[in-house]
Amino acid sequence: MDKVLLKDLQAFCKLGIYDSERILGQSVLIQLAMEMDLSQACSSDSIDDTVNYAEVSVISRTVAQKKEYLLIEHLAQEIINALFEKFSRIQAVEIDITKTIVNADQFTGTPAVHIYRKRPN
């Protein structure tokens, strides 16, 4: 299966299990791989035969900013759901979300999740 990739998408959101994380907000870095058949787009050279990555970017950032999330996992699933809803061509989504700065006392490290979902039948 072919993939459209969107790398290093930055979003700011209210995310985390600690109050300080949600009050101050978090910057996250999102990597997306969207599986679909791109053979028609390869020959047509038409945006109608693929997904518009600018729209993917807007959708992903809008989802990240629309509400508070406790878990990165939940944010990832919400982005996947929105992409499946908007783009019928997408057959599967692979997403990585990384917190770039964690606003929590005594925490060190770089938390991230990697989730892969196929379109529900």
Side-chain angles (χ1 to χ4, degrees), residues 31-72:
Q31 316 293 334
L32 286 164
M34 296 156 285
E35 293 183 5
M36 66 198 78
D37 181 357
L38 294 173
S39 57
Q40 193 171 358
C42 289
S43 57
S44 72
D45 199 27
S46 172
I47 191 68
D48 295 332
D49 296 327
T50 186
V51 297
N52 183 327
Y53 52 80
E55 287 183 45
V56 171
S57 174
V58 169
I59 289 168
S60 299
R61 285 194 332 257
T62 299
V63 169
Q65 295 170 354
K66 77 177 179 181
K67 67 179 188 179
E68 290 186 5
Y69 298 93
L70 295 176
L71 300 178
I72 308 172

Side-chain angles (χ1 to χ4, degrees), residues 9-22 25-31 69-73 75 96-104 107-114:
L9 172 64
Q10 295 181 350
F12 188 79
C13 56
K14 304 286 186 169
L15 170 67
I17 60 170
Y18 299 105
D19 290 340
S20 60
E21 293 180 285
R22 291 186 316 283
Q26 303 280 340
S27 178
V28 295
L29 195 59
I30 302 169
Q31 316 293 334
Y69 298 93
L70 295 176
L71 300 178
I72 308 172
E73 294 88 339
L75 171 58
D96 292 309
I97 300 180
T98 304
K99 285 186 181 181
T100 58
I101 297 173
V102 177
N103 292 317
F107 181 83
T108 63
T110 305
V113 297
H114 175 93

